[in-house]
Amino acid sequence: MKKNHFLSLALIVFCCASSAALAATSTPNVPAGHPKIDYPAQSTTHQQSAPISGKVLQAMNSGGYSYIYLQKNNGEKVWLAVAETRVSVGDRMSFKEGLVMKDFESKTLKRTFASIIFSNGVIPQAKAVAPAAPAKVPAAPAVPLKAQTAPLGSKVAVKAKEVKISVKKATGPNAYTIAEAYRNSAKLNKKQVSIRGKVVKVTPKIMKKNWIHIQDGSGSQAKGTHNLVCTTTATAQVGDVITVKGTLAKDRDFGYGYRYSVIIENAAIGK
């Protein structure tokens, strides 16, 4: 009886361990810096453990991703996906390791990839070195290859302060400059504000919103209080002077690198 009892316990432990292992592998982790991926239940995954380099044969942007058809240095052709970045056919690029998805369906592209690697990001390339120039002929400048765009919330992605910007403050009881919005963020959290500024950057169709950066000349670039991000379904062009009206949120973290100490959400845009 004792022998049968211990055998039953061993079988239970084995089954529990097998179930845990299956659960751990059935839903792969989202690569760092990527928006959430809705993985199809029938997909299978494994890890691409080494960087990939090669020449871009095809590229398209959709749903916050860049889908890239790459001919590797060994001649093999593969599909990769990274957080949306600037890429052109003919570029030579290198990508970090990532998750390999089988039979992945992109709902935004309305197509299924037999195999695609969700890379953890682009590996920035070193600047090209100009060849030695003949006497009395200046050497051509080195041209850097394109590197991956940083996540929206990171300091790298925030536009530098434009010294020539000087935008008049919005009018009304809820009107603030960008510097005032940062300075009073605790008091203004979850409240309606009106802020006027010049559009310095637009990133469309991320999380079903357009992400618009504005500056008004106030604030400190060193402290990161000069640039304000607004999410909206409206559109604007770089160079436009607009008035943004929406809800101020303090210390907003969307996940996947989208982090902001101050952001205006669900904004309406006017002149």
Side-chain angles (χ1 to χ4, degrees):
M1 291 295 292
K2 288 184 178 181
K3 181 177 181 181
N4 291 335
H5 177 69
F6 287 120
L7 179 59
S8 298
L9 286 176
L11 286 172
I12 291 171
V13 171
F14 174 78
C15 292
C16 291
S18 299
S19 298
L22 179 60
T25 57
S26 61
T27 304
N29 293 329
V30 177
H34 283 203
K36 184 178 180 181
I37 306 168
D38 294 325
Y39 295 105
Q42 73 275 19
S43 293
T44 58
T45 66
H46 65 276
Q47 187 74 17
Q48 163 65 41
S49 59
I52 306 169
S53 299
K55 181 180 179 181
V56 176
L57 301 180
Q58 186 179 349
M60 61 190 83
N61 293 335
S62 180
Y65 285 88
S66 291
Y67 292 84
I68 299 164
Y69 193 40
L70 190 80
Q71 183 173 21
K72 296 165 60 175
N73 292 337
N74 64 4
E76 180 186 357
K77 297 176 182 178
V78 295
W79 277 101
L80 302 101
V82 291
E84 187 168 324
T85 186
R86 290 184 179 182
V87 57
S88 300
V89 172
D91 285 351
R92 299 204 66 86
M93 302 182 73
S94 294
F95 299 86
K96 297 178 182 178
E97 70 283 352
L99 209 61
V100 181
M101 300 290 299
K102 300 293 185 181
D103 300 320
F104 175 78
E105 180 185 1
S106 169
K107 295 179 180 179
T108 56
L109 288 175
K110 296 181 179 180
R111 66 175 290 177
T112 298
F113 296 89
S115 176
I116 187 168
I117 302 167
F118 279 87
S119 165
N120 287 324
V122 175
I123 300 174
Q125 302 294 301
K127 293 183 178 181
V129 178
K136 300 182 181 180
V137 178
V143 180
L145 296 177
K146 300 176 182 66
Q148 182 181 7
T149 303
L152 288 174
S154 72
K155 292 182 179 180
V156 179
V158 174
K159 293 285 287 184
K161 187 173 183 181
E162 296 191 16
V163 295
K164 294 183 180 180
I165 291 181
S166 180
V167 177
K168 187 177 179 181
K169 181 179 176 179
T171 57
N174 299 323
Y176 298 90
T177 65
I178 291 175
E180 289 171 342
Y182 277 95
R183 187 164 57 248
N184 300 299
S185 60
K187 180 178 68 176
L188 296 175
N189 188 33
K190 299 182 181 180
K191 293 184 178 179
Q192 290 289 307
V193 296
S194 177
I195 299 176
R196 194 162 179 264
K198 180 180 178 182
V199 178
V200 296
K201 180 180 179 181
V202 178
T203 304
K205 298 179 181 179
I206 300 294
M207 299 181 186
K208 299 182 180 180
K209 296 289 179 67
N210 298 322
W211 299 65
I212 298 176
H213 296 238
I214 62 172
Q215 297 181 15
D216 62 2
S218 69
S220 165
Q221 181 173 337
K223 296 180 180 180
T225 60
H226 67 291
N227 187 93
L228 184 65
V229 176
C230 315
T231 64
T232 178
T233 56
T235 58
Q237 302 295 322
V238 172
D240 289 350
V241 175
I242 61 175
T243 299
V244 174
K245 295 182 180 180
T247 303
L248 185 144
K250 179 179 182 294
D251 297 327
R252 188 76 162 91
D253 189 347
F254 296 92
Y256 310 107
Y258 292 75
R259 298 180 298 275
Y260 301 90
S261 57
V262 174
I263 189 171
I264 308 300
E265 297 190 88
N266 303 317
I269 293 178
K271 296 298 183 181

